[in-house]
Amino acid sequence: MSSTVIERPSPTVPRPDSAPRRRTRVLSLPEARWAAAATVLFLVALPLQLTGAPAWAWGPLYALAYATGGWEPAWAGLQALRERTLDVDLLMIVAALGAAAVGQVMDGALLIVIFATSGALEALATARTADSVRGLLDLAPATATRLLPDGGEETVPTEELAVGDTVLVRPGERIGADGRVLDGASEVDQATITGEPLPVAKQRGDEVFAGTLNGTGALRIRVERDASDSVIARIVQLVEEAAETKAPTQLFIEKVEQRYSIGMVAATLAVFAIPLALGAAFTGSLLRAMTFMIVASPCAVVLATMPPLLSAIANAGRHGVLVKSAVVMERLGQVDAVALDKTGTLTEGTPRLTDLRPLPASGLTDAHLLALAAAAEHPSEHPLARAVVDAARTRGLALATAEDFTSTPGTGVTATVDGRAVAVGAPARLLTGPGSPAAAIVAELEQGGRTAVLVEVDGEPAGVLGLADRLRPDAAATVTALTALTGTAPMLLTGDNPRAAAHLAAEVGITDVRAGLLPQDKVAAVREQEAAGRKVLVIGDGVNDAPALAAAHTGIAMGRAGSDLALETADAVIVRDELATVPAVVALSRRARGLVVQNLVIASVFITVLVVWDLVATLPLPLGVLGHEGSTVLVGLNGLRLLRDAAWKKAGSELPGR
């Protein structure tokens, strides 16, 4: 079969430098407004106090600074206290009030201002993390040109587009919905969605995505997904859901935080009471105790975990990998073994029919055999079934309605077609003996690296179909990268025949091949690895992969070809079926875990140094405040480094072959 490559001129439509971005304004956040008010009041009061103005001039200003900067954390702390939870924010307010009580009004106000500013920066960082994901929604245009049945046009909001609508996209416009090209040819800039550096040629039958930029040609597109189910919307939804979860490390820290806070209060009382009992001055003892409470507070420790993980989730989402929770992002970096499905995972999942071999005893022609098999397979979602149905439609065959359809994962389908019982499935499950003519044909096809599918009619073998799938272009590089990351070559788990599986495995460099597996066999293989102490990452797409995805330490499903069950069961989804993103997201997870450790070290060092300084010598309260809040801000900003596109590129560039 020959093919012709048609070269089209590159579009002259200018590429946008970047996607439209949402950016939360600083003063739109209430935390930032209160912090700004407290800062202004402090900056007005401070010079008045330092220049010797009377207390009535600067005292009320400091009081207002306490109120504006401290009321929110104080209220949150009291609410937590009602639920029998000791909040660190409340301890900071108590420390500030304690400083004021001993005459250190300026120091207490400084603590309030820095604490409020730190809270505002954390709120801004959280908002900017959300901006980076929610900003994807700005890629989709607000309106689209819908074509009417009478040939007319109407401009409608993109959220009103329905599946089956036809839209016209003119040169230079952004595409308004996920769909498929019905007519026209152009080049589409998909950089904001897929990261591809060059525009991609699109013609009839090609898939396009909402928010991508059309080039010089006009396209008529049939809408295939609602706006709420588009690639962009799915990324946003899943990343937002992931942001609501907490990683095990974070849960552990929060569990320890309560005990730590109670212990810190007890230690603060001891720091105050013991020197006082030994004859120390009341004011000095109280000031030292307040300083101790501030610097020993675990604010930076609490903030060490979530920013890196949430930043990594947002970054992965922008590059087509939907990680469903912070738990998953943390677990991805722990994997040390990988199991790959074959069809739809290592291969494109769009096999083609290559052979039609009716048995002479069946009396069927090639067309009749294919029509019966396609009719029985029509309700199935398996990639091999789709290939059989597509081949029948390409040949213009009329398909009868299948009745009593049943599908057994790993075995095949059965249905009644035109009153005849038709079974289509794996020869190993349907054939009873090796000596039949059908068995010889199956062996011949499998020897050639093709997948054989047996067709039975009324309980007797009627013919064999041969199908071949195409290897994904990035499959070999992905296997190499995963081997380097885990230290062990991935294993191939497939329900396909051993010869076809071995043929494909040899192409990508996999030596551990387990073929002819039922779903429970895949689960057994995963549990075998888990029993040996391995943390297995399973990558699959079909219904028969769902049990293994659920049993694995972490499961990733292919988004385009994946079944609904696999997508629901998996911990992460590759939206665009780019297999190369798997090692990239694993490497990104490891970077996130590294930043968590780095943050914990930074926070621990700051707390230890400041606490020892306060206990052994005399730590000035303002310096203690700066050290404590500075470490909190530093830890938060350090975690947000993974929001940058450069973090994803670095994760990918460090892999072998990149």
Side-chain angles (χ1 to χ4, degrees), residues 217-367:
L219 297 174
R220 288 174 58 238
I221 298 169
R222 182 181 66 248
V223 178
E224 292 190 340
R225 296 189 188 97
D226 291 329
S228 61
D229 196 39
S230 67
V231 169
I232 293 175
R234 288 168 64 194
I235 291 173
V236 172
Q237 178 186 356
L238 287 179
V239 172
E240 286 181 338
E241 290 174 357
E244 298 298 320
T245 64
K246 295 179 180 179
T249 302
Q250 179 70 13
L251 292 172
F252 173 76
I253 289 174
E254 291 183 0
K255 183 178 179 180
V256 172
E257 179 193 3
Q258 281 301 300
R259 298 177 182 177
Y260 179 91
S261 298
I262 294 172
M264 188 181 70
V265 171
T268 300
L269 294 175
V271 170
F272 169 67
I274 293 175
L276 191 64
L278 296 176
F282 175 85
T283 300
S285 298
L286 183 59
L287 192 59
R288 183 187 295 270
M290 292 299 100
T291 305
F292 176 85
M293 179 184 289
I294 293 168
V295 299
S297 174
C299 296
V301 174
V302 173
L303 198 62
T305 302
M306 293 308 291
L309 295 174
L310 294 182
S311 297
I313 289 172
N315 201 337
R318 292 202 307 269
H319 291 87
V321 182
L322 305 183
V323 180
K324 294 183 179 180
S325 70
V327 176
V328 176
M329 179 54 75
E330 188 171 36
R331 289 164 69 91
L332 274 169
Q334 300 171 348
V335 298
D336 56 8
V338 179
L340 291 156
D341 175 48
K342 173 180 170 286
T343 304
T345 303
L346 278 176
T347 66
E348 292 180 351
T350 53
R352 299 159 295 160
L353 183 71
T354 58
D355 298 88
L356 273 171
R357 305 288 288 274
L359 296 176
S362 68
L364 300 176
T365 64
D366 288 3

Side-chain angles (χ1 to χ4, degrees), residues 44-117:
V44 173
L46 182 61
L48 291 175
Q49 182 188 17
L50 295 179
T51 55
W56 58 262
W58 48 263
L61 295 174
Y62 277 138
L64 288 174
Y66 275 77
T68 54
W71 80 268
E72 273 196 319
W75 179 249
L78 291 173
Q79 293 291 100
L81 201 59
R82 289 179 59 185
E83 299 175 4
R84 298 183 179 181
T85 301
L86 187 59
D87 191 273
V88 173
D89 292 357
L90 183 61
L91 298 180
M92 292 296 98
I93 301 303
V94 170
L97 294 175
V102 296
Q104 302 288 329
V105 178
M106 185 269 288
D107 292 339
L110 177 62
L111 171 58
I112 290 290
V113 168
I114 295 179
F115 189 62
T117 303

Side-chain angles (χ1 to χ4, degrees), residues 219-598:
L219 297 174
R220 288 174 58 238
I221 298 169
R222 182 181 66 248
V223 178
E224 292 190 340
R225 296 189 188 97
D226 291 329
S228 61
D229 196 39
S230 67
V231 169
I232 293 175
R234 288 168 64 194
I235 291 173
V236 172
Q237 178 186 356
L238 287 179
V239 172
E240 286 181 338
E241 290 174 357
E244 298 298 320
T245 64
K246 295 179 180 179
T249 302
Q250 179 70 13
L251 292 172
F252 173 76
I253 289 174
E254 291 183 0
K255 183 178 179 180
V256 172
E257 179 193 3
Q258 281 301 300
R259 298 177 182 177
Y260 179 91
S261 298
I262 294 172
M264 188 181 70
V265 171
T268 300
L269 294 175
V271 170
F272 169 67
I274 293 175
L276 191 64
L278 296 176
F282 175 85
T283 300
S285 298
L286 183 59
L287 192 59
R288 183 187 295 270
M290 292 299 100
T291 305
F292 176 85
M293 179 184 289
I294 293 168
V295 299
S297 174
C299 296
V301 174
V302 173
L303 198 62
T305 302
M306 293 308 291
L309 295 174
L310 294 182
S311 297
I313 289 172
N315 201 337
R318 292 202 307 269
H319 291 87
V321 182
L322 305 183
V323 180
K324 294 183 179 180
S325 70
V327 176
V328 176
M329 179 54 75
E330 188 171 36
R331 289 164 69 91
L332 274 169
Q334 300 171 348
V335 298
D336 56 8
V338 179
L340 291 156
D341 175 48
K342 173 180 170 286
T343 304
T345 303
L346 278 176
T347 66
E348 292 180 351
T350 53
R352 299 159 295 160
L353 183 71
T354 58
D355 298 88
L356 273 171
R357 305 288 288 274
L359 296 176
S362 68
L364 300 176
T365 64
D366 288 3
H368 196 188
L369 175 66
L370 180 57
L372 287 172
E377 292 274 36
H378 187 265
S380 175
E381 64 174 10
H382 195 280
L384 295 180
R386 294 173 190 165
V388 174
V389 174
D390 289 344
R393 286 175 172 166
T394 301
R395 289 166 171 77
L397 301 179
L399 302 185
T401 302
E403 300 175 346
D404 302 324
F405 172 83
T406 59
S407 175
T408 305
T411 299
V413 304
T414 59
T416 301
V417 180
D418 287 336
R420 308 182 74 177
V422 180
V424 184
R429 307 283 182 258
L430 299 178
L431 284 176
T432 56
S436 65
I441 297 174
V442 168
E444 177 189 340
L445 293 176
E446 291 180 350
Q447 190 67 38
R450 295 185 290 279
T451 298
V453 175
L454 182 69
V455 181
E456 285 188 349
V457 178
D458 295 329
E460 295 294 330
V464 182
L465 310 180
L467 299 104
D469 200 354
R470 281 179 288 215
L471 194 67
R472 292 188 186 277
D474 52 359
T478 298
V479 169
T480 300
L482 289 172
T483 301
L485 281 170
T486 63
T488 307
M491 59 181 176
L492 181 63
L493 304 180
T494 178
D496 208 345
N497 70 82
R499 293 189 185 91
H503 182 79
L504 180 137
E507 291 187 58
V508 298
I510 294 178
T511 56
D512 187 355
V513 181
R514 307 188 188 191
L517 302 182
L518 290 170
Q520 58 266 33
D521 299 326
K522 293 186 178 183
V523 172
V526 171
R527 287 178 175 164
E528 174 189 324
Q529 293 290 313
E530 298 273 0
R534 311 304 296 270
K535 295 179 179 177
V536 183
L537 168 64
V538 172
I539 309 168
D541 71 306
V543 171
N544 59 337
D545 298 317
L549 290 168
H553 178 268
T554 311
I556 296 180
M558 308 299 284
R560 285 185 184 169
S563 68
D564 290 342
L565 181 58
L567 295 176
E568 289 293 331
T569 305
D571 300 303
V573 177
I574 305 173
V575 177
R576 297 182 292 269
D577 286 3
E578 296 171 350
L579 201 58
T581 58
V582 174
V585 76
V586 171
L588 186 68
S589 171
R590 292 187 177 181
R591 285 203 65 197
R593 286 167 53 81
L595 281 184
V596 169
V597 173
Q598 191 179 104

Side-chain angles (χ1 to χ4, degrees), residues 300-301 304 595-609 627 630-636 638-639 641:
V301 174
L595 281 184
V596 169
V597 173
Q598 191 179 104
N599 282 346
L600 290 173
V601 170
I602 292 172
S604 301
V605 168
F606 266 86
I607 290 174
T608 302
V609 170
S631 67
T632 302
V633 172
L634 178 62
V635 162
N638 190 43
R641 288 164 50 198

Side-chain angles (χ1 to χ4, degrees), residues 197-224:
L198 298 174
V200 179
K202 298 291 183 181
Q203 56 188 357
R204 181 171 181 171
D206 289 339
E207 186 177 21
V208 292
F209 304 108
T212 53
L213 184 66
N214 187 25
T216 55
L219 297 174
R220 288 174 58 238
I221 298 169
R222 182 181 66 248
V223 178
E224 292 190 340

